[in-house]
Amino acid sequence: MRFRRAAGGGWRAAGGYGAIVGLMAGLGLLFFASPSAAQEYTVTFHGVIGREGVGFGEFLNPAGISLDPAGNLYVADSGNHRIQRLTQAGEYMTIFGGFGFDRQQLNQPMAVVATGLDVYVADMQNRRIQRLDRLLNFLGVLPEDPEASLFGFPRGVAISKVGEIYVADTENEEIVKLNTSGQLEVRFGGFSYEQGRLRRPANIAVGPAGKVYVADTGNHRIAIFDAFGGYLTDISSDTLKAPEGVDVDDSGLVYVADTGNHRFTVFSKEGTLLLSFGAQGVGIGSFSEPRDISVGPAGKIYVADTGNHRIQMFRMEKK
């Protein structure tokens, strides 16, 4: 890839999409991105949360992140078998879990979603979903009967606006939809599906129109279903490599943790590539197997930089 100096300073990739460090601006470093799309965007670095470790505000392989409507950050600190709650600036507030098999203990939590009232945790190796309040006090577990078999390994979890629960069962390669009471409603994306058949589904997001977006890791795409499990379409099986994280903002833009390519990508609601940002590495704006992504209420992008044991924060704006 070749680079040329952009007007006003900084650098821009030429002859393809990409991003490199430009100049100091505002709260952080300003990066320029030149994607294979009609629009051009800037990505501004807004800071790093955490480092490798076992202390408060430190992480081991953070695999899932979620922002509540107030902007508080919840992290599935997978290697430490716990959930951490932080301010949107990354200040530690409280913690839940610790390794174990009993209720209120976790075994490799891989995903978390915060609604503002409740927090749901994909407690993967314990084959269950734990439900907490927004302060991380324990409320319950799904399934309630420990002998029941709702899931194999729950890898992702999402909640609709009306409280329906979607769980990505990566072992059985399907999505399990539960009603607001936690009762099984439907399973979809499994063997009976053709184009919509999933392989190793990971994180999930529910868009503003109720569509369900699945990081279909083994098929290198984002698979999109309606609220009842009907397959609709997919995004970019040619662009992505083993994506594990997905989020959708209020305007319908789709944000993807493109895990195998060590970057994040952004698509329009029609599926057009708008931006692809990052590369493998340990520096600012570089990633090591990012496994989740979350967009805050003010448009800030949080990326779970899993292999680097940290969360990176950015903001994307149209030039």
Side-chain angles (χ1 to χ4, degrees), residues 23 36 39 61 69 92 94 115 122 140 152 173 205 229 250 268 273 287 308 317:
L23 47 84
S36 302
Q39 302 293 339
N61 298 313
Y92 168 80
T94 189
T115 68
E173 299 190 318
D250 290 339
S268 71
L273 176 65
F287 305 99
N308 287 323
E317 297 176 312

Side-chain angles (χ1 to χ4, degrees), residues 286-300:
S286 297
F287 305 99
S288 177
E289 296 186 345
R291 288 186 171 175
D292 203 8
I293 189 167
S294 187
V295 183
K300 192 179 290 185

Side-chain angles (χ1 to χ4, degrees), residues 29-287:
L29 293 171
L30 178 63
F31 298 83
F32 290 94
S34 180
S36 302
Q39 302 293 339
E40 290 191 343
Y41 294 82
T42 60
V43 176
T44 307
F45 173 74
H46 276 254
V48 171
I49 298 172
R51 62 182 180 183
E52 184 176 4
V54 299
F56 298 148
E58 297 178 335
F59 310 115
L60 288 178
N61 298 313
I65 53 177
S66 181
L67 291 151
D68 69 15
N72 297 310
L73 176 65
Y74 297 79
V75 180
D77 185 6
S78 181
N80 285 319
H81 308 283
R82 63 190 184 184
I83 303 299
Q84 295 199 57
R85 178 175 179 252
L86 307 101
T87 68
Q88 59 184 304
E91 298 171 350
Y92 168 80
M93 287 193 284
T94 189
I95 200 167
F96 171 87
F99 177 75
F101 314 105
D102 295 332
R103 295 190 178 196
Q104 304 186 52
Q105 294 181 316
L106 299 169
N107 186 358
Q108 200 178 359
M110 293 297 290
V112 60
V113 60
T115 68
L117 294 175
D118 296 334
V119 177
Y120 294 81
V121 180
D123 186 6
M124 189 175 77
Q125 294 294 336
N126 284 328
R127 300 175 181 265
R128 64 191 180 188
I129 302 296
Q130 296 214 44
R131 178 171 164 254
L132 320 173
D133 69 16
R134 64 184 183 86
L135 301 178
L136 300 188
N137 297 305
F138 177 77
L139 296 177
V141 65
L142 296 171
E144 293 182 357
D145 180 0
E147 300 300 321
S149 179
L150 271 179
F151 323 114
F153 291 133
R155 174 62 181 82
V157 60
I159 310 298
S160 74
K161 288 184 177 180
V162 298
E164 299 159 322
I165 305 165
Y166 294 87
V167 178
D169 182 349
T170 195
E171 180 181 31
N172 294 313
E173 299 190 318
E174 64 184 5
I175 305 303
V176 180
K177 181 183 178 182
L178 310 177
N179 62 24
T180 55
S181 299
Q183 304 301 310
L184 177 64
E185 190 166 302
V186 68
R187 300 176 185 267
F188 59 91
F191 290 109
S192 63
Y193 282 66
E194 296 180 359
Q195 286 183 300
R197 183 177 175 182
L198 303 171
R199 291 182 58 213
R200 304 196 315 275
N203 280 297
I204 324 171
V206 179
K211 295 178 182 177
V212 180
Y213 296 74
V214 181
D216 187 8
T217 308
N219 286 321
H220 310 287
R221 66 178 182 174
I222 302 300
I224 305 174
F225 299 83
D226 64 29
F228 307 101
Y231 174 74
L232 299 174
T233 186
D234 64 57
I235 292 177
S236 193
S237 58
D238 296 327
T239 302
L240 303 173
K241 182 178 180 181
E244 293 190 30
V246 62
D247 200 8
V248 185
D249 69 16
D250 290 339
S251 69
L253 294 184
V254 182
Y255 300 76
V256 179
D258 191 2
T259 310
N261 285 320
H262 308 282
R263 64 188 183 185
F264 72 84
T265 56
V266 184
F267 298 88
S268 71
K269 60 184 178 181
E270 294 81 18
T272 301
L273 176 65
L274 301 179
L275 178 139
S276 184
F277 180 87
Q280 186 172 17
V282 298
I284 290 172
S286 297
F287 305 99

